[in-house]
């Protein structure tokens, strides 16, 4: 299709969208609101837009998005046999130990095999169950070679007895070889209940003797117990020469809500390079408003890029829009939003089972269509509905895109398509996030939550 021939701004000077686009030359966007794009790629889009070559700009946007999809994230979970590695992986993936696809527990680790657990919907994110460390035939450096050290983005070292020499030596070796590790003490529920036994029902210390009273407070205080375990472990790791050791205390059953589970998740996110944050976030189950907010924020960064990509060479004319749009890109994007926010029949069914409530109770307040309801026809309908809103809100919308895209409204072929798809994607994303929040609220009402990180 000869789309570039339509891109003459002289044919378009009187269009209200063009006028608004020009008027908002001052519009600008904070850097942190942009997705991770190299300067070279950004400059290519800028140059194409400045030349009025929308097809080239859209092709570049599609290429960037396709590259994003190729980004892989590999997380290694290691530790001694029986420390709780497989349990941790199941908890991360939101699976009960008996569920199909769950890692098997209590397995004697006799081989050096690494078992991959790709996320069912986002297969570019894989958690690896590594063989147990600490067998006499296996020193940390040979172990790391055998498990293909280079393959992983970072390591999670599980230790069930606070601190073991094997786990600590492995941590040191991983750090020496230049990768990040997180030291996770599992089964903290057992530590807490063992400690509680030292106190009577009123919470007063029963234990006698110097060893018991020196390190413990007279009144039971769970936070102090956790702090003591964490600090003790961090001190021992530091003594071994490990720089800035961070220790996380977790329990398999309350993984994403209790103890250091939420902090662990937050730390992963903070540490991941920006190009991998979205991949990781997409895989997280919505266990808190904070996770929801982060998912929305990260997806929002890509809306303008997707809108631009949908104006590409494979766009087809939409009569009600008087322009052409690549509907397939929009269908994929809306489905991605639904899946990221758990708005699919499968995810909702699973959540209902986890919290022991009828699905209908959770889905009652949902306003956006679910994953399986997103079709080409629905997208065309939504686009048609979005035209008015896009025109009315254009100055505001333009504040949410990089400044150099401002003139795009003056390209006749994109005059309606770009702002309309932008308006549609933005609104759908916001509505889906609101729906997910309502679902979360209903799921949590009146329950002690046992939900999971991995949706
Ligand atoms: N109480 C408690 N038990 C756990 C926890 N994590 C794992 N376990 C138990 O520890 C045992 C070994 O766990 P597994 O995941 O098979 O360890 P792996 O050999 O390192 O993979 C199993 O009986 C688990 O149920 C936890 O957080 N709390
Ligand atoms: Mg195991």
């Amino acid at each position: 299709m000869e789309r570039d021939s339509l891109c003459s701004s002289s044919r378009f000077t009187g269009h209200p969208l063009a006028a608004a686009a020009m008027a908002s030359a001052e519009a600008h966007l904070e850097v942190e609101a942009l997705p991770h794009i190299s300067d070279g790629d950004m400059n290519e889009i800028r140059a194409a837009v400045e030349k009025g070559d929308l097809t080239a700009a859209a092709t570049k946007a599609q290429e960037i998005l396709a590259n994003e999809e190729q980004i892989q994230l590999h997380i290694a979970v290691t530790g001694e046999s029986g420390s709780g590695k497989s349990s941790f992986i199941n908890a991360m993936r939101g699976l009960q130990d008996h569920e199909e696809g769950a890692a098997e527990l209590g397995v004697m680790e006799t081989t050096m095999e690494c078992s991959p657990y790709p996320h069912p919907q986002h297969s570019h994110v894989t958690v690896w169950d590594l063989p147990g460390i600490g067998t006499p035939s296996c020193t940390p450096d040979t172990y790391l070679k055998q498990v293909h050290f280079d393959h992983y983005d970072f390591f999670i070292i599980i230790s069930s007895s606070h601190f073991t020499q094997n786990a600590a030596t492995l941590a040191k070796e991983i750090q020496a070889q230049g990768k990040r590790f997180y030291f996770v003490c599992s089964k903290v529920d057992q530590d807490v209940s063992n400690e509680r036994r030292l106190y009577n029902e009123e919470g007063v210390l029963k234990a006698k003797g110097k060893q018991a009273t020196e390190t413990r407070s007279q009144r039971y205080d769970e936070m102090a117990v956790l702090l003591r375990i964490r600090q003790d472990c961090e001190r021992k790791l530091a003594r071994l020469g490990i720089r800035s050791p961070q220790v996380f205390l977790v329990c398999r059953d309350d993984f994403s809500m209790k103890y250091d589970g939420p902090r662990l998740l937050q730390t992963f996110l903070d540490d991941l390079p920006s190009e991998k944050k979205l991949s990781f976030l997409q895989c997280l189950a919505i266990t808190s408003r904070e996770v929801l907010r982060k998912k929305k924020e990260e997806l929002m960064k890509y809306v303008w890029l997707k809108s631009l990509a949908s104006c590409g060479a494979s766009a087809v004319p939409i009569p009600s829009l008087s322009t052409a749009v690549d509907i397939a890109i929009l269908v994929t994007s809306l489905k991605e939003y639904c899946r990221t926010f758990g708005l699919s029949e499968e995810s909702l069914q699973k959540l209902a089972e986890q919290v022991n409530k009828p699905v209908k109770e959770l889905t009652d307040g949902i306003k956006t269509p679910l994953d399986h309801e997103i079709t080409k026809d629905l997208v065309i309908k939504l686009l048609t509905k979005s035209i008015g809103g896009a025109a009315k809100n254009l100055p505001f919308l333009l504040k949410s895109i990089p400044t150099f895209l401002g003139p795009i409204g003056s390209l006749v072929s994109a005059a309606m398509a770009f702002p309309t798809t932008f308006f549609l994607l933005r609104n759908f994303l916001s509505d889906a996030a609101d729906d997910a929040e309502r679902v979360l609220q209903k799921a949590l009402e009146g329950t002690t939550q046992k939900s999971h990180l991995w949706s």
Side-chain angles (χ1 to χ4, degrees), residues 85-86 104-107 109 129:
K85 297 184 296 298
S86 306
E104 207 180 325
L105 303 197
V107 177
E109 290 158 336
D129 197 351

Side-chain angles (χ1 to χ4, degrees), residues 21-269:
M22 297 308 178
S24 71
E26 295 304 308
H28 70 281
L29 198 63
E30 300 297 329
V31 174
E32 58 270 24
L34 291 171
H36 169 84
I37 298 179
S38 72
D39 288 349
D41 284 346
M42 206 65 138
N43 287 339
E44 266 188 57
I45 296 182
R46 186 196 311 265
V49 170
E50 278 166 9
K51 267 201 291 179
D53 188 349
L54 183 67
T55 309
T59 305
K60 189 71 214 173
Q62 285 171 9
E63 189 189 306
I64 296 168
L65 290 169
N67 287 342
E68 288 275 332
E69 275 169 31
Q70 300 304 315
I71 291 175
Q72 302 275 325
L73 182 64
H74 293 278
I75 304 169
V77 178
T78 181
E80 289 181 349
S81 188
S83 58
K85 297 184 296 298
S86 306
S87 307
F88 180 89
I89 289 172
N90 290 343
M92 265 187 83
R93 298 175 68 225
L95 291 174
Q96 307 290 331
D97 296 328
H98 60 269
E99 268 184 76
E100 201 188 323
E104 207 180 325
L105 303 197
V107 177
M108 274 298 287
E109 290 158 336
T110 49
T111 67
M112 284 306 286
E113 206 178 307
C114 305
S115 311
Y117 291 96
H119 187 276
Q121 274 117 38
H122 305 278
S123 54
H124 50 294
V125 182
T126 307
V127 188
W128 290 82
D129 197 351
L130 265 45
I133 52 169
T135 55
S137 61
C138 191
T139 58
D141 58 331
T142 57
Y143 176 87
L144 289 178
K145 237 181 247 151
Q146 281 172 297
V147 299
H148 312 290
F149 177 78
D150 291 336
H151 190 61
Y152 310 104
D153 288 88
F154 61 83
F155 288 76
I156 299 170
I157 303 173
I158 311 279
S159 174
S160 57
S161 42
H162 310 176
F163 178 88
T164 63
Q165 195 60 41
N166 283 326
T169 315
L170 186 70
K172 199 171 172 193
E173 190 62 33
I174 292 170
Q175 195 169 64
Q177 293 194 30
K179 284 212 175 157
R180 226 177 254 286
F181 74 87
Y182 301 89
F183 203 91
V184 170
C185 294
S186 60
K187 311 186 191 180
V188 67
D189 51 318
Q190 289 178 350
D191 296 314
V192 167
S193 73
N194 287 343
E195 193 67 23
R196 185 66 184 85
R197 264 189 231 117
L198 301 177
Y199 291 78
N200 69 17
E201 276 175 17
E202 281 79 46
V204 177
L205 186 65
K206 293 188 290 190
K208 303 262 181 288
K210 197 167 166 222
Q211 213 186 348
T213 51
E214 226 172 38
T215 50
R216 293 180 174 83
S217 57
Q218 283 303 310
R219 288 231 135 246
Y220 181 72
D221 176 354
E222 189 175 292
M223 292 308 279
V225 172
L226 299 173
L227 185 68
R228 181 158 49 82
I229 299 173
R230 204 183 295 117
Q231 286 183 340
D232 180 53
C233 195
E234 283 174 354
R235 239 189 329 264
K236 286 178 178 154
L237 288 170
R239 233 180 269 149
L240 264 182
I242 292 167
R243 296 181 303 280
S244 337
Q246 282 196 74
V247 172
F248 300 85
L249 312 182
V250 305
C251 159
R252 188 255 177 271
D253 283 340
D254 287 309
F255 179 55
S256 56
M257 292 304 288
K258 230 176 153 185
Y259 305 119
D260 292 335
R263 190 169 64 88
L264 181 61
L265 162 65
Q266 179 64 49
T267 311
F268 289 158
L269 273 174

